[in-house]
Amino acid sequence: MHGDNSRSSLPFQDGTDGSDSSAYSDKSSKLRFPDINQNDALNKNFKKEIAQLTPTVKKRKKRKVSVCLTNCRYDVVRRIAAKFAFQEVADNDNWNFNWTDLSISIERCKEMKRYQRINHFPGMLEICRKDLLARNLNRMQRLFPKEYNFFPQSWCLPADLGEALAYSRLKKNKTYILKPDAGCQGRGIYLTKTLKDIKPTDKMVCQVYISRPFLIDGFKFDLRVYTLITSCDPLRIYVYKEGLCRFATSRYKEPSNVNMTNVFMHLTNYAVNKHSRTFNFDTQVGSKRKLSWLRGYLQEMAQDVDKLWHKIDDVIIKTIICAWPVLKHSYIACFPNHDIIPACCELLGIDVILDNHLNPQVLEVNHSPSFHTDTDLDCEVKETLLKDMFNMLNLGQCDKRRVIREDKKKIRERLLHGVVKDNSSDQRSFTQHYKHEMEYKGDFRLVYPTAHSECQYGKLFNQGQGSLYSDTVCSRARESAQTALRDEIVLKAKLEASKRVSPVKSVPKSRSDSPRLSPSKQSIRPIPFSIRSSFQPQIIQEAEERERLQRLAQRDFLVRSTCLTEQIYFSLKRNGVLRSNDEQKYQMFAKPRTAQRASALDNRDGPAIADFIEGIKTKEIMYSNIAPSAGGLMKTEVIRTVHKTSHS
């Protein structure tokens, strides 16, 4: 029994124990882990405890980058700025970045604040104007003749007109290309075989024409290589991987008198060739292609592409170095307080042509290359270029509000305590900025500085002591020599023009009339036709002075013989407008008139004309001795006077 009870009690006990334990476990679970969905009070307390335990992390607001595009005419720049969420503002606002298609002045640079950046360097026109580029490259060629042999022989007219003419006399078979000194888009460019027709007042750049360029399918082409300068002190140069190959639209032939005027054959500018009927828009065989296509084409021809691009990079670096002294001087003078970010950047479009030996030759440098997207190829290349550029610039790095507060604080301290030294701007360190450039450079390649750039280009920076102003004396001497040469050429042209002008035929005079007025043949000399300045004294000719005195004596005789002064005197007196001073001065005219009237009253019965005529003849003889050059004209006047007197 006991065993049975014990066995029967086991399942019961087990059941009772299990039920009790389950109930206990349910109660404990309800106490320890309350149901949040059922109890709102516990839910709120639970959220508060969680919020107190977890650390608070504040979300940083993205800094708004404002861009000024007032002087930008390209829609692609606005599209890329909108993709980066840049805010477009006016020129008078506090912008972060200013994109302008115009060159900037020094006054504009000095007004910029420390957080602002602009897309041009002051002084970049030293290589972006055709005349200044030629002058700087010629100067560097005189200093480093082996390094600077990558551009055609150039002269700046009219300053170097004499040198160009001397070169043309030695090299008679050369062809020359003439360009306006500050032109663009192929306007005003023409070819010539002779330089004799150049006017001495034309401001142009004369270059020896590259008559044997490298051709593809018989067409001439050039390369538009995009180059980005992010800093000038220290100098940092990037070259973009992609670019444009611009082809002419007529098959090339060496220049002759027949085809020199064909601009579609000799010029590769897109602005010129797009007007041609044969312009092809195909990206593979068209008139405009990518640089990547050219790489593939040269590789198929078994050409060393890496060597060619190393030459192109070398040419670009040397071209920029020739303007480096001016860039550095202008930058330091304009931006003494820019210690957060570099104040300027520059995206250049450098035009390079290849000769028949695949040697690159620099044609020109454009400080505002065209960003028109007329074709899909333009849109693809230029949009990618601008995206990589804006990624590199890191325009949101600078805290604009903090910089404005710091500048206000400095101004307040300077007003209260005088001059305050700012040690933060003594040493400019843009290390973080340069690291960001290398991380986000995209398809840009850093070509300067590199590991071997110092030993390769270091000597090119030593352009002589005071290199910034070393060429001014030479340029002044060249300008004075050019002015003398121009004056000489102009004088010769005027003398030749005076010979072609037919002289005015004068009426021949009879020998009986005043032989003293006819000068000898030796004194008559043809006066050359020339423009005389009225502000400079002229040389007095003896024959002209003698003739002038004779004319004055003739005029005095005519005035006296016609009694012109007396008639004016009596007419003024009759009208009552004669002044007392004049009446006293010319009182002698009244006495003969009074005496004449008295004699007329006494001799009313018979006229005394004969005596009057004899008196006039006596006066005529007297005046003939004074002015013998009066001639027949004076005698006629005297006879007329006698007739008038007799009739009166």
Side-chain angles (χ1 to χ4, degrees):
M1 291 285 298
H2 181 72
D4 295 337
N5 294 333
S6 63
R7 291 191 189 99
S8 62
S9 64
L10 288 174
F12 177 78
Q13 290 176 357
D14 293 339
T16 56
D17 293 341
S19 63
D20 293 341
S21 63
S22 64
Y24 179 76
S25 63
D26 293 339
K27 291 179 181 179
S28 63
S29 65
K30 289 181 180 180
L31 293 171
R32 292 182 183 178
F33 304 100
D35 189 0
I36 298 175
N37 295 326
Q38 295 178 1
N39 196 340
D40 294 338
L42 291 175
N43 189 11
K44 291 180 180 180
N45 294 330
F46 180 75
K47 289 182 178 180
K48 288 181 180 179
E49 291 177 358
I50 294 296
Q52 291 176 359
L53 293 174
T54 57
T56 58
V57 179
K58 295 182 179 179
K59 293 183 179 180
R60 292 184 178 180
K61 295 182 179 179
K62 291 185 178 180
R63 296 168 183 166
K64 292 183 179 181
V65 178
S66 55
V67 181
C68 177
L69 302 176
T70 304
N71 295 320
C72 177
R73 64 179 183 273
Y74 301 112
D75 294 333
V76 64
V77 179
R78 289 182 168 83
R79 289 200 304 268
I80 299 302
K83 288 182 180 180
F84 280 87
F86 294 160
Q87 182 182 2
E88 186 175 351
V89 296
D91 194 10
N92 298 327
D93 297 333
N94 292 327
W95 40 265
N96 293 87
F97 183 71
N98 190 344
W99 182 289
T100 174
D101 300 331
L102 309 174
S103 59
I104 57 174
S105 61
I106 296 178
E107 291 77 10
R108 177 62 182 275
C109 295
K110 290 183 177 180
E111 295 175 355
M112 289 174 55
K113 300 178 177 60
R114 287 192 300 151
Y115 59 86
Q116 292 180 334
R117 200 170 189 182
I118 198 165
N119 69 325
H120 290 303
F121 280 93
M124 189 58 74
L125 290 180
E126 289 292 321
I127 58 175
C128 292
R129 277 179 59 108
K130 293 182 178 66
D131 55 346
L132 298 180
L133 175 64
R135 183 171 297 178
N136 283 302
L137 290 177
N138 287 332
R139 175 176 58 85
M140 294 297 288
Q141 190 180 43
R142 290 192 294 268
L143 296 174
F144 310 100
K146 294 182 180 180
E147 286 78 6
Y148 282 83
N149 55 359
F150 52 84
F151 65 98
Q153 184 71 33
S154 305
W155 299 276
C156 298
L157 305 182
D160 300 331
L161 181 59
E163 297 179 7
L165 292 174
Y167 182 87
S168 65
R169 285 192 290 267
L170 295 175
K171 307 288 184 178
K172 296 183 179 180
N173 296 325
K174 293 288 185 180
T175 305
Y176 305 94
I177 182 169
L178 296 170
K179 308 175 183 178
D181 55 355
C184 61
Q185 297 182 350
R187 289 191 290 264
I189 299 177
Y190 65 94
L191 274 66
T192 183
K193 286 281 188 180
T194 178
L195 301 179
K196 295 180 180 179
D197 298 333
I198 298 177
K199 297 180 181 179
T201 56
D202 292 342
K203 294 183 178 181
M204 306 188 76
V205 175
C206 178
Q207 290 181 332
V208 177
Y209 184 69
I210 302 174
S211 58
R212 294 182 180 178
F214 183 77
L215 304 178
I216 294 180
D217 299 331
F219 291 93
K220 180 181 176 181
F221 70 97
D222 70 346
L223 310 179
R224 169 61 62 87
V225 183
Y226 293 103
T227 304
L228 178 63
I229 304 174
T230 58
S231 174
C232 69
D233 188 22
L235 184 62
R236 295 181 67 87
I237 304 173
Y238 295 86
V239 174
Y240 198 61
K241 181 180 179 180
E242 197 61 88
L244 299 174
C245 295
R246 306 179 302 175
F247 286 79
T249 51
S250 296
R251 292 189 180 274
Y252 180 78
K253 295 180 181 179
E254 289 193 10
S256 61
N257 295 328
V258 178
N259 60 21
M260 276 197 305
T261 57
N262 189 357
V263 293
F264 300 131
M265 177 187 296
H266 299 289
L267 300 184
T268 57
N269 302 73
Y270 171 72
V272 174
N273 286 278
K274 69 179 181 180
H275 300 291
S276 175
R277 296 180 180 179
T278 59
F279 188 87
N280 191 351
F281 290 93
D282 192 278
T283 58
Q284 296 297 323
V285 294
S287 301
K288 185 183 287 189
R289 310 171 196 177
K290 293 183 180 179
L291 286 182
S292 56
W293 176 90
L294 179 64
R295 291 189 185 94
Y297 177 82
L298 294 176
Q299 287 175 356
E300 292 178 358
M301 294 179 62
Q303 298 288 340
D304 192 350
V305 179
D306 295 334
K307 182 179 179 181
L308 173 62
W309 283 105
H310 178 72
K311 290 181 180 179
I312 293 175
D313 295 343
D314 179 69
V315 162
I316 291 172
I317 294 170
K318 290 177 180 177
T319 303
I320 296 173
I321 286 176
C322 73
W324 178 77
V326 178
L327 292 179
K328 182 181 177 182
H329 175 81
S330 302
Y331 185 85
I332 294 175
C334 294
F335 307 105
N337 299 321
H338 266 71
D339 53 352
I340 301 175
I341 58 172
C344 302
C345 64
E346 188 93 25
L347 183 60
L348 300 173
I350 301 179
D351 295 338
V352 179
I353 192 171
L354 304 177
D355 60 9
N356 55 347
H357 300 293
L358 285 180
N359 294 320
Q361 302 282 324
V362 172
L363 296 180
E364 62 182 10
V365 180
N366 301 279
H367 80 289
S368 292
S370 173
F371 280 96
H372 289 298
T373 55
D374 298 337
T375 62
D376 296 336
L377 186 143
D378 287 328
C379 186
E380 182 180 353
V381 172
K382 295 173 183 179
E383 281 189 355
T384 310
L385 170 66
L386 292 174
K387 286 180 182 177
D388 293 343
M389 175 183 170
F390 283 131
N391 277 327
M392 287 180 63
L393 295 181
N394 193 15
L395 298 177
Q397 172 191 0
C398 183
D399 190 355
K400 180 166 58 176
R401 295 181 180 178
R402 181 177 62 84
V403 174
I404 292 174
R405 288 196 301 268
E406 290 178 357
D407 291 343
K408 290 182 178 179
K409 184 179 179 181
K410 290 178 184 178
I411 294 172
R412 193 184 308 111
E413 290 178 355
R414 187 166 61 248
L415 291 174
L416 295 176
H417 306 290
V419 179
V420 178
K421 292 184 178 181
D422 186 12
N423 297 325
S424 61
S425 62
D426 291 343
Q427 296 180 353
R428 304 181 185 185
S429 178
F430 303 135
T431 307
Q432 297 296 329
H433 186 78
Y434 298 151
K435 288 181 179 179
H436 184 274
E437 287 181 0
M438 296 302 295
E439 291 177 2
Y440 297 92
K441 62 182 180 179
D443 289 337
F444 280 100
R445 294 181 293 107
L446 180 66
V447 297
Y448 188 90
T450 57
H452 306 285
S453 60
E454 185 63 28
C455 61
Q456 187 176 1
Y457 303 105
K459 62 179 181 180
L460 302 180
F461 289 93
N462 300 323
Q463 301 175 13
Q465 188 175 4
S467 61
L468 182 62
Y469 305 104
S470 61
D471 200 42
T472 55
V473 178
C474 299
S475 62
R476 289 176 183 173
R478 186 168 56 249
E479 290 289 342
S480 61
Q482 180 269 331
T483 303
L485 178 63
R486 184 175 65 244
D487 294 342
E488 183 180 355
I489 294 173
V490 171
L491 181 60
K492 288 182 180 179
K494 289 180 179 180
L495 291 176
E496 292 178 358
S498 64
K499 292 178 181 178
R500 291 192 295 266
V501 175
S502 59
V504 180
K505 296 182 179 180
S506 58
V507 179
K509 296 182 180 180
S510 60
R511 294 183 179 179
S512 59
D513 298 339
S514 68
R516 295 185 183 182
L517 283 177
S518 58
S520 62
K521 294 183 180 180
Q522 297 180 356
S523 62
I524 299 176
R525 294 180 181 179
I527 301 174
F529 177 76
S530 61
I531 300 173
R532 297 181 179 179
S533 177
S534 61
F535 295 96
Q536 296 179 358
Q538 304 296 328
I539 299 175
I540 299 175
Q541 300 290 337
E542 184 178 357
E544 294 179 356
E545 183 68 14
R546 191 183 303 111
E547 184 179 1
R548 186 180 69 85
L549 294 175
Q550 291 176 356
R551 296 289 184 184
L552 288 175
Q554 180 182 358
R555 185 184 66 177
D556 183 66
F557 176 79
L558 291 175
V559 170
R560 290 178 180 274
S561 61
T562 56
C563 301
L564 183 62
T565 309
E566 298 179 17
Q567 293 179 7
I568 295 173
Y569 171 80
F570 287 112
S571 63
L572 293 176
K573 187 175 182 181
R574 192 182 306 111
N575 294 326
V577 294
L578 186 64
R579 295 179 297 182
S580 58
N581 296 332
D582 294 335
E583 188 174 359
Q584 294 177 0
K585 185 176 180 180
Y586 298 100
Q587 191 176 6
M588 57 182 178
F589 295 132
K591 294 180 180 179
R593 177 67 64 88
T594 307
Q596 185 179 1
R597 288 182 179 179
S599 60
L601 292 173
D602 294 337
N603 302 322
R604 286 182 181 178
D605 297 335
I609 298 175
D611 297 334
F612 182 72
I613 291 174
E614 289 179 0
I616 290 177
K617 288 182 179 180
T618 305
K619 288 183 180 181
E620 181 181 357
I621 294 171
M622 179 181 64
Y623 284 122
S624 63
N625 295 329
I626 296 174
S629 62
L633 179 63
M634 301 180 196
K635 294 180 179 179
T636 306
E637 295 294 335
V638 171
I639 294 170
R640 289 179 181 175
T641 306
V642 171
H643 283 294
K644 289 180 181 179
T645 309
S646 62
H647 286 297
S648 62

